[in-house]
Amino acid sequence: MTTTAAHALVAQLEELGVEYVFGTCGHTNIAVLDALADSRIRFVIARHEQAAAHAADGYARVSGKPRVLLVHVGPGLTNAATGVMTAALDSVPMVVISGDIPSYYHGRHPHQEINLHADADQASVFRPFVKRAWNVHRAQDLGRFVERAFWTATSGRPGAVLVNVPMDVFSRPAGPSPAISHAAPPGLPEATAELIAARLAAAERPLIYVGGGLREDTEALIRLAEHLDIPIAHSLMAKGTVPDAHPLVLGMPGFWGLELTNTYAREADVVLALATRFAETDASSWDPRFTWDFSGSTLIQIDIDPAEIGRNYPAEIGAVADVRLAVKSIAEAAASHPANSRIELRKQILKARSELFAASQERGRSEDFPLRPERILKDLREALPPDAVLVTDVGWNKNGVAQCYELPAEGRFITPGGASTMGFGPAAAVGVQLAEPDRTVIALIGDGGMSAQLPALPMAVEQGAPVVFVVMNNRSHGTISDLQSAHYGRSYGCDFADPAGRPYSPDFAALARACGADGHTVGAPSDLGTALRGAIANRRPTVIDVPMVNEPVPTPGHWNIKDIYQGLFIN
């Protein structure tokens, strides 16, 4: 039987297990929306395409399933670009379906076509960051391209893909979709696993460094580390992969890393790096004086993406494999080696980590108002259930949590890594809440991030998503303001002020109430804990506006941007 391509597409998405489609409407995609109206798939409407993309991203991060983003031609697609890039750089599976101008008007500058000085090709806007982009020319190709899109988004290194469809194609007749492809992920050869286990067992100062590509199923990783008593460092994106309270967790290296973590990383003789790209901030701008120095040591690197092997540091042993399968194989091989014990190292880790968390908690006891950032973190830690999901934006809320918030073993930390996108947190938290409807989801965001994605508020109300938006409000792009003040002696263009020069901020609590959510403004130190407990109990979308002083995040490591500000260019 034949039907329209739009109806065939929706039927195919149902077969693929899609539960939600995120997006906005436009004249090029309403044929798909009409087909969705009769489907069990729920359409999550957004008031801006970037919000839709971040919400789809948040859903995908916690569910592990590829999410579908539906956008319109021209500005619809370009509005979504930042959100899709954020997902792509963090290896989040996302399938973007974009409507385009009618196929027979290509190049004639029809309404909203991206075409001025070159031939129209809106898919090219996404090509630098998606794994692949398909332009559909015939209705009978749509199903095949969508099947390939889901395959590509989820196989190998996950990521975002684009299927670009002229609007007339959606209304043309199309046949049934092709069968779904399945394949097993690549494992680690037995001989390679045994070689790696032997190197780790024989090392004097071994280290396991975990990246964001290992997000679940970490029992084998912990078993390997405990058997050989190997400390574990993690990237920013991998916070919580192994519980913060585990006695072998050193924490993050790099710019926000502890001195012990950076020193141990620099002096390790064998490093097993798992699903990490050695990002600049986690590697102290790749300066061997501060974090990673492989001039006299061995790097063993495992990644599903062959392009990452040896990208920033030469790998003596490199393996392209699914990291979860690889770790299981290495743990099994390591079991044949004698168990090791590094009692003194464990004592050093316990001392350094205990002092870090204790110092943060002590600063968090401050009764100063506006609140200090660590007072906000302390109140969160005391009020939230252990399995709460913290979705952050950028600035203190991301870097401070990653460094000095002791995440419970049942908890989850979600943050934008590769793109470090301001505005990620509010809408991503809505997507997380849709994927985890029974958990407490906190969007811990700055006033800049909240202002960047105000559409997340009505989206949370419309979806009945009881996200608690905690706005750390210092009336500034605080991290950048602090950098400018530290290096140029003043802050200009970073702080929000009214025409008289007085600090300014929208009334986020009143805005929440205007959208149909609950809104609270913290007026005294004790108000935050009370508001948090009430919001968690009420299970309604809530904004808690928290006046906060601007304080720099402690930065024990090194970041080359500070050298650049001082005119010191070390390549």
Side-chain angles (χ1 to χ4, degrees), residues 125-165:
V125 174
F126 278 28
R127 290 190 192 278
F129 48 84
V130 295
K131 292 182 72 176
R132 182 165 175 182
W134 289 266
N135 283 306
V136 180
H137 300 293
R138 305 182 307 161
Q140 53 265 48
D141 290 334
L142 177 58
R144 182 165 60 89
F145 289 175
V146 168
E147 189 276 332
R148 288 290 82 196
F150 273 80
W151 167 261
T152 304
T154 56
S155 63
R157 180 179 186 168
V161 296
L162 172 67
V163 181
N164 190 60
V165 190

XYZ file of all heavy atoms in Angstrom, residues 125-165:
335
model
N 24.912 23.990 6.339
C 25.059 24.698 7.609
C 25.460 23.718 8.713
O 26.219 24.053 9.624
C 23.739 25.415 7.975
C 23.820 26.034 9.364
C 23.405 26.475 6.928
N 24.944 22.483 8.634
C 25.191 21.484 9.673
C 26.408 20.602 9.389
O 26.842 19.872 10.282
C 23.962 20.574 9.822
C 22.859 21.121 10.682
C 22.671 22.483 10.818
C 22.009 20.268 11.357
C 21.647 22.998 11.601
C 20.982 20.757 12.155
C 20.810 22.129 12.274
N 26.939 20.623 8.208
C 27.963 19.635 7.843
C 29.212 19.652 8.715
O 29.819 18.598 8.933
C 28.342 19.791 6.365
C 27.238 19.362 5.425
C 27.691 19.286 3.976
N 26.556 19.161 3.077
C 25.930 18.017 2.815
N 26.358 16.898 3.375
N 24.896 17.995 1.991
N 29.661 20.790 9.258
C 30.881 20.742 10.087
C 30.745 19.936 11.372
O 31.754 19.552 11.961
C 31.139 22.229 10.393
C 30.464 22.982 9.312
C 29.241 22.181 8.996
N 29.505 19.670 11.850
C 29.397 18.976 13.135
C 28.508 17.738 13.116
O 28.561 16.945 14.056
C 28.929 19.935 14.249
C 27.739 20.777 13.905
C 26.454 20.291 14.038
C 27.909 22.082 13.458
C 25.359 21.073 13.732
C 26.820 22.879 13.149
C 25.537 22.370 13.283
N 27.685 17.525 12.097
C 26.914 16.282 12.057
C 27.755 15.163 11.452
O 28.696 15.415 10.692
C 25.598 16.442 11.260
C 24.672 17.422 11.950
C 25.863 16.865 9.813
N 27.415 13.923 11.781
C 28.136 12.780 11.227
C 27.853 12.636 9.738
O 28.733 12.228 8.968
C 27.740 11.494 11.953
C 28.198 11.432 13.401
C 27.821 10.117 14.067
C 28.648 8.954 13.561
N 28.344 7.696 14.291
N 26.624 12.955 9.345
C 26.296 12.944 7.925
C 25.012 13.729 7.715
O 24.167 13.811 8.614
C 26.129 11.520 7.398
C 25.829 11.506 5.901
C 25.991 10.182 5.246
N 25.577 10.255 3.850
C 25.570 9.250 3.018
N 25.961 8.046 3.422
N 25.164 9.399 1.772
N 24.867 14.311 6.538
C 23.638 14.999 6.143
C 23.148 14.417 4.830
O 23.926 14.255 3.883
C 23.882 16.501 6.006
N 21.860 14.082 4.792
C 21.241 13.557 3.569
C 20.268 14.588 3.003
O 19.465 15.169 3.748
C 20.453 12.282 3.857
C 21.251 11.066 4.178
C 21.653 10.091 3.313
C 21.722 10.648 5.467
N 22.351 9.106 3.980
C 22.408 9.421 5.307
C 21.620 11.203 6.746
C 22.989 8.746 6.364
C 22.198 10.535 7.803
C 22.882 9.322 7.610
N 20.309 14.812 1.713
C 19.300 15.589 1.005
C 18.386 14.622 0.268
O 18.841 13.843 -0.578
C 19.951 16.561 0.019
C 20.527 17.785 0.700
O 19.822 18.476 1.438
N 21.806 18.054 0.476
N 17.108 14.642 0.620
C 16.147 13.724 0.007
C 15.623 14.345 -1.284
O 15.095 15.463 -1.273
C 14.972 13.444 0.970
C 13.969 12.489 0.326
C 15.496 12.867 2.275
N 15.759 13.624 -2.380
C 15.281 14.120 -3.668
C 14.012 13.420 -4.127
O 13.254 13.967 -4.939
C 16.366 13.957 -4.743
C 17.633 14.706 -4.441
N 17.694 16.074 -4.417
C 18.887 14.268 -4.110
C 18.928 16.470 -4.113
N 19.664 15.384 -3.920
N 13.765 12.191 -3.629
C 12.595 11.419 -4.046
C 11.896 10.859 -2.809
O 12.551 10.468 -1.841
C 13.007 10.264 -4.962
C 13.816 10.668 -6.180
C 14.123 9.451 -7.031
N 14.745 8.375 -6.253
C 14.777 7.105 -6.644
N 14.212 6.733 -7.790
N 15.372 6.185 -5.888
N 10.587 10.818 -2.855
C 9.825 10.321 -1.709
C 10.207 8.885 -1.373
O 10.261 8.507 -0.191
C 8.328 10.409 -1.998
N 10.505 8.077 -2.378
C 10.834 6.675 -2.123
C 12.193 6.511 -1.434
O 12.529 5.426 -0.969
C 10.791 5.849 -3.414
C 11.628 6.390 -4.550
C 10.829 7.258 -5.498
O 10.088 8.140 -5.056
N 10.957 6.992 -6.796
N 12.986 7.592 -1.353
C 14.279 7.522 -0.663
C 14.192 7.927 0.805
O 15.129 7.677 1.573
C 15.299 8.441 -1.352
C 15.721 7.919 -2.719
O 15.638 6.698 -2.923
O 16.118 8.744 -3.561
N 13.093 8.554 1.216
C 13.020 9.096 2.574
C 13.185 7.999 3.621
O 13.973 8.141 4.560
C 11.693 9.837 2.778
C 11.453 10.406 4.181
C 12.558 11.376 4.581
C 10.095 11.085 4.260
N 12.455 6.890 3.495
C 12.549 5.819 4.481
C 13.948 5.237 4.571
O 14.446 4.940 5.669
N 14.594 5.066 3.433
C 15.951 4.505 3.431
C 16.920 5.460 4.111
O 17.791 5.039 4.889
C 16.384 4.243 1.979
C 17.758 3.603 1.836
C 17.947 3.062 0.427
N 17.849 4.113 -0.584
C 18.899 4.846 -1.006
N 20.101 4.617 -0.491
N 18.744 5.764 -1.931
N 16.785 6.760 3.851
C 17.694 7.727 4.462
C 17.453 7.837 5.970
O 18.403 7.992 6.744
C 17.530 9.097 3.806
C 18.064 9.178 2.398
C 17.895 10.319 1.641
C 18.737 8.113 1.819
C 18.384 10.402 0.346
C 19.230 8.177 0.523
C 19.058 9.332 -0.221
N 16.196 7.762 6.401
C 15.908 7.826 7.833
C 16.479 6.601 8.545
O 17.055 6.708 9.635
C 14.396 7.963 8.078
C 14.055 7.728 9.552
C 13.913 9.342 7.637
N 16.340 5.423 7.926
C 16.940 4.219 8.516
C 18.447 4.395 8.641
O 19.044 4.072 9.674
C 16.610 2.998 7.662
C 16.998 1.668 8.296
C 18.450 1.276 8.081
O 19.026 1.690 7.053
O 19.012 0.579 8.938
N 19.090 4.928 7.609
C 20.528 5.169 7.657
C 20.881 6.227 8.704
O 21.937 6.166 9.345
C 21.033 5.626 6.286
C 21.078 4.554 5.216
C 22.170 3.517 5.488
N 21.743 2.490 6.437
C 22.576 1.661 7.066
N 23.869 1.738 6.851
N 22.123 0.747 7.894
N 19.996 7.198 8.876
C 20.255 8.261 9.850
C 20.282 7.695 11.267
O 21.182 8.017 12.057
C 19.191 9.344 9.724
N 19.311 6.858 11.620
C 19.304 6.255 12.953
C 20.514 5.349 13.138
O 21.124 5.316 14.218
C 18.008 5.481 13.176
C 16.884 6.326 13.705
C 16.147 7.134 12.854
C 16.580 6.336 15.051
C 15.118 7.928 13.333
C 15.562 7.128 15.549
C 14.821 7.926 14.680
N 20.854 4.601 12.111
C 22.037 3.729 12.179
C 23.296 4.555 12.427
O 24.114 4.252 13.303
C 22.161 2.941 10.884
C 23.475 2.252 10.715
C 24.546 2.673 9.987
C 23.875 1.012 11.317
N 25.579 1.778 10.093
C 25.198 0.746 10.897
C 23.230 0.103 12.154
C 25.883 -0.383 11.292
C 23.932 -1.029 12.543
C 25.233 -1.254 12.116
N 23.456 5.624 11.672
C 24.660 6.442 11.766
C 24.726 7.177 13.099
O 25.802 7.316 13.702
C 24.708 7.441 10.601
O 24.633 6.730 9.363
C 25.981 8.270 10.620
N 23.582 7.672 13.591
C 23.566 8.420 14.846
C 23.954 7.556 16.036
O 24.517 8.056 17.016
C 22.188 9.029 15.073
N 23.676 6.256 15.961
C 23.870 5.381 17.119
C 25.052 4.433 17.003
O 25.512 3.897 18.020
C 22.602 4.543 17.368
O 22.274 3.819 16.170
C 21.423 5.436 17.724
N 25.553 4.196 15.815
C 26.666 3.257 15.657
C 27.993 3.988 15.794
O 28.088 5.193 15.544
C 26.588 2.554 14.304
O 26.716 3.488 13.246
N 29.040 3.246 16.175
C 30.338 3.880 16.361
C 30.235 4.951 17.434
O 29.596 4.768 18.465
N 30.884 6.072 17.186
C 30.762 7.201 18.098
C 29.410 7.863 17.859
O 29.144 8.360 16.775
C 31.878 8.206 17.848
C 31.824 9.433 18.754
C 32.985 10.361 18.464
N 33.037 11.465 19.402
C 34.086 12.289 19.511
N 35.150 12.114 18.731
N 34.061 13.276 20.382
N 28.510 7.883 18.846
C 27.194 8.485 18.621
C 27.317 9.959 18.259
O 28.306 10.620 18.565
C 26.487 8.301 19.968
C 27.240 7.209 20.661
C 28.663 7.339 20.200
N 26.283 10.463 17.611
C 26.311 11.871 17.233
C 25.028 12.296 16.549
O 24.051 11.539 16.482
N 25.044 13.504 16.037
C 23.875 14.069 15.376
C 23.973 13.863 13.866
O 25.064 13.841 13.291
C 23.757 15.555 15.686
N 22.816 13.697 13.231
C 22.726 13.568 11.782
C 21.553 14.426 11.303
O 20.684 14.815 12.082
C 22.521 12.102 11.335
C 23.705 11.243 11.708
C 21.242 11.538 11.943
N 21.538 14.705 10.004
C 20.491 15.541 9.417
C 19.888 14.856 8.206
O 20.609 14.339 7.348
C 21.077 16.894 8.993
C 20.158 17.823 8.191
C 19.001 18.321 9.051
C 20.937 18.998 7.605
N 18.547 14.859 8.150
C 17.816 14.439 6.951
C 17.030 15.652 6.477
O 16.096 16.104 7.152
C 16.869 13.257 7.239
C 16.147 12.846 5.960
C 17.636 12.080 7.824
N 17.409 16.200 5.352
C 16.820 17.428 4.832
C 15.815 17.077 3.727
O 16.164 16.397 2.756
C 17.920 18.335 4.276
C 17.411 19.710 3.940
O 16.911 20.424 4.805
N 17.519 20.101 2.678
N 14.563 17.526 3.883
C 13.465 17.054 3.033
C 12.703 18.233 2.422
O 12.088 19.016 3.169
C 12.475 16.189 3.852
C 11.481 15.507 2.918
C 13.208 15.156 4.709
